Amino acid sequence: MIYLYNSATTYIDSRVLKTMMPYLKEKYGNPSSFHNKGKEARDAVEMARKQVAGVLNCAVNEIIFTGGGTEANNLAIQGIIKQVQSSKSKVKSHIITTKIEHPSVLEVCKYLEKEKLAEITYLNVDKYGIIDLKELVKSLRSETVLVSIIYANNEIGVIQDIKKISRVVKKYNNNILLHIDACQASGYLMMDVKKLGVDMMTINSSKVYGPKGIGALFIKRGVKIKPIMFGGHQEDSLRPGTENVAGIVGFGSAIELLCEADYKNEILKVGELRDYFIGELFKRIPKIRLNGHMVKRLSSNVNVSILDIEGEALILRLNEKGVYCSTGSACASGSLEPSYVIMALGVPYEVAHGSLRFTFGKKTTKKEIDYVLKVLPKIVADLRAISPVKIKKS
């Protein structure tokens, strides 16, 4: 098994699992309880909150635990719109985002647009996936309440300059909130919310070798949002329901491990493997295109379009060889349409249909990469021999 699908989910680090086990067995109390068993769980939750806040360089009470990145993005965007609606202001809300956001941002924006709860501007990207700051400036207006930008794209790994984006937004109007989806960026890029200049930030445990089903939303002190779920008063009344204590403990442990020197060295090795893999792909396979920016991309991400073939066919053939990768986002895997992210780069439909996404992790080795480089050219040649589609190299 060669797992090159780490952008969808990573494995749980054994050290993380070890911290979780007591809270799956003997320390099973409800954190909202007043007895010692409950206090034991509450203390564990608060310790994890402290761990997350430490990595993000924010106050402990600025972290809200959620059921994952999707929920955190929904809470950020819908929560702001509901807050604006609850005010006496009759100004229509305006949101700015991009055409290459994760579905958990795009689908929320489409919903708000459909229900006439907000007007949405979807920024274009250039052929590398980078937004134009001049277009952002032109899109800002008096009704703008939120700018939501993905820090590092989940499909093509392209990195947006969040510091510059923050300066542009705050210069126009300091009251406009900036939210970033940093799920993919976690563990690879700088996460200091003060240095980034963001008001809200989404992170996700399953992208940083922690458990699935747990995420967090950083909400800067003074930013007010409304809940989108109702029930108890957990998580400052913004996320009701009994806390996933084991998951939260695992998340805190996982994110703290990102700061260790060993992890940073492993990420450097991942970047070296990425560059080696890209170079060899272009040597061994003709008519291939790199999607996204060569430099401004995550060190774990390789997204290419192999022309004259459909990506789904490549995925199936690679799966037979024990190689696990994808054509796009796992959250959109039920669709047979080409990736909207790749289409946003301005490439033809057929080119987008031939995209492959390989995402490396801590355990990825050169031996595994060399195996992929051995089997993939043969698969490509076989599929091209029976393909009715021929595309001129772009």
Side-chain angles (χ1 to χ4, degrees):
M1 184 190 79
I2 298 177
Y3 187 78
L4 301 179
Y5 205 10
N6 289 277
S7 56
T9 188
T10 53
Y11 66 90
I12 297 181
D13 189 292
S14 60
R15 293 166 294 180
V16 171
L17 184 60
K18 186 177 181 180
T19 65
M20 294 172 63
M21 290 309 295
Y23 298 93
L24 291 168
K25 292 183 175 181
E26 63 270 15
K27 299 182 179 183
Y28 50 80
N30 186 319
S32 297
S33 304
F34 285 100
H35 48 65
N36 287 344
K37 205 75 173 172
K39 184 178 182 302
E40 183 178 58
R42 169 53 54 193
D43 288 346
V45 168
E46 294 312 314
M47 174 55 70
R49 201 186 310 276
K50 185 177 180 181
Q51 289 171 313
V52 174
V55 173
L56 271 55
N57 189 27
C58 66
V60 172
N61 62 2
E62 293 177 313
I63 298 296
I64 300 295
F65 287 118
T66 67
T70 290
E71 186 185 319
N73 282 338
N74 272 263
L75 178 58
I77 299 169
Q78 293 194 63
I80 286 298
I81 296 303
K82 291 185 74 174
Q83 177 66 35
V84 173
Q85 288 177 327
S86 68
S87 69
K88 295 181 180 180
S89 173
K90 294 183 180 180
V91 176
K92 185 135 187 178
S93 300
H94 174 236
I95 296 174
I96 298 173
T97 189
T98 79
K99 292 182 178 179
I100 62 168
E101 297 298 306
H102 187 272
S104 60
V105 169
L106 282 181
E107 293 303 317
V108 177
C109 289
K110 290 176 183 177
Y111 162 77
L112 294 173
E113 206 171 23
K114 181 181 178 183
E115 297 297 319
K116 302 187 185 308
L117 297 172
E119 294 180 356
I120 315 294
T121 296
Y122 301 92
L123 299 176
N124 294 303
V125 295
D126 64 17
K127 63 181 181 179
Y128 301 112
I130 306 294
I131 67 167
D132 183 348
L133 292 180
K134 291 180 181 178
E135 184 184 359
L136 172 59
V137 171
K138 290 179 181 178
S139 300
L140 291 164
R141 57 195 206 217
S142 59
E143 301 89 355
T144 306
V145 296
L146 178 69
V147 175
S148 183
I149 306 288
I150 195 165
Y151 192 177
N153 184 265
N154 52 299
E155 288 193 35
I156 58 175
V158 66
I159 301 165
Q160 305 296 340
D161 192 333
I162 299 301
K163 285 184 179 180
K164 282 187 178 179
I165 290 170
S166 176
R167 287 197 291 268
V168 167
V169 172
K170 298 303 179 180
K171 183 179 179 181
Y172 181 87
N173 185 341
N174 197 49
N175 292 321
I176 297 175
L177 300 177
L178 174 60
H179 163 253
I180 64 170
D181 176 352
C183 291
Q184 295 292 331
S186 304
Y188 291 94
L189 303 176
M190 191 265 289
M191 301 294 287
D192 187 317
V193 294
K194 291 184 175 66
K195 290 180 179 178
L196 288 169
V198 300
D199 301 292
M200 295 186 288
M201 182 164 76
T202 294
I203 53 176
N204 190 346
S205 168
S206 66
K207 314 300 184 188
V208 293
Y209 306 95
K212 299 175 186 64
I214 187 72
L217 178 65
F218 156 74
I219 307 174
K220 186 177 179 180
R221 187 183 290 120
V223 173
K224 295 181 179 180
I225 69 173
K226 293 286 186 181
I228 59 175
M229 296 168 58
F230 299 91
H233 298 289
Q234 294 91 345
E235 296 303 301
D236 201 23
S237 296
L238 287 174
R239 208 286 178 171
T242 302
E243 295 92 338
N244 174 5
V245 179
I248 289 171
V249 167
F251 189 13
S253 175
I255 201 164
E256 198 168 58
L257 289 175
L258 302 182
C259 301
E260 293 194 347
D262 286 348
Y263 178 82
K264 293 177 180 178
N265 289 333
E266 287 168 340
I267 295 307
L268 287 174
K269 292 177 183 177
V270 167
E272 292 170 359
L273 281 177
R274 179 204 67 179
D275 294 343
Y276 168 72
F277 187 50
I278 291 173
E280 290 299 315
L281 282 176
F282 276 80
K283 288 178 186 176
R284 303 182 189 206
I285 301 174
K287 297 181 73 176
I288 187 171
R289 179 188 192 277
L290 181 68
N291 295 315
H293 201 282
M294 182 62 205
V295 178
K296 298 176 183 177
R297 74 185 303 132
L298 293 175
S299 60
S300 59
N301 179 287
V302 177
N303 190 308
V304 292
S305 284
I306 300 177
L307 309 188
D308 300 340
I309 311 173
E310 289 191 346
E312 290 80 7
L314 285 166
I315 293 298
L316 293 173
R317 292 290 185 94
L318 284 168
N319 184 69
E320 291 172 358
K321 297 291 185 180
V323 179
Y324 306 147
C325 58
S326 68
T327 56
S329 169
C331 297
S333 61
S335 172
L336 292 177
E337 290 299 309
S339 163
Y340 65 85
V341 173
I342 308 298
M343 292 294 290
L345 304 181
V347 303
Y349 180 94
E350 295 81 3
V351 173
H353 236 314
S355 66
L356 274 183
R357 179 182 66 165
F358 301 93
T359 45
F360 305 161
K362 293 194 297 181
K363 286 184 176 180
T364 306
T365 66
K366 185 175 181 294
K367 184 178 179 180
E368 290 177 329
I369 296 305
D370 284 337
Y371 174 78
V372 178
L373 289 168
K374 179 182 176 182
V375 300
L376 183 55
K378 178 66 165 59
I379 292 172
V380 170
D382 289 347
L383 290 174
R384 279 178 173 166
I386 60 174
S387 174
V389 181
K390 299 296 178 186
I391 309 169
K392 291 182 179 180
K393 187 175 180 181
S394 59

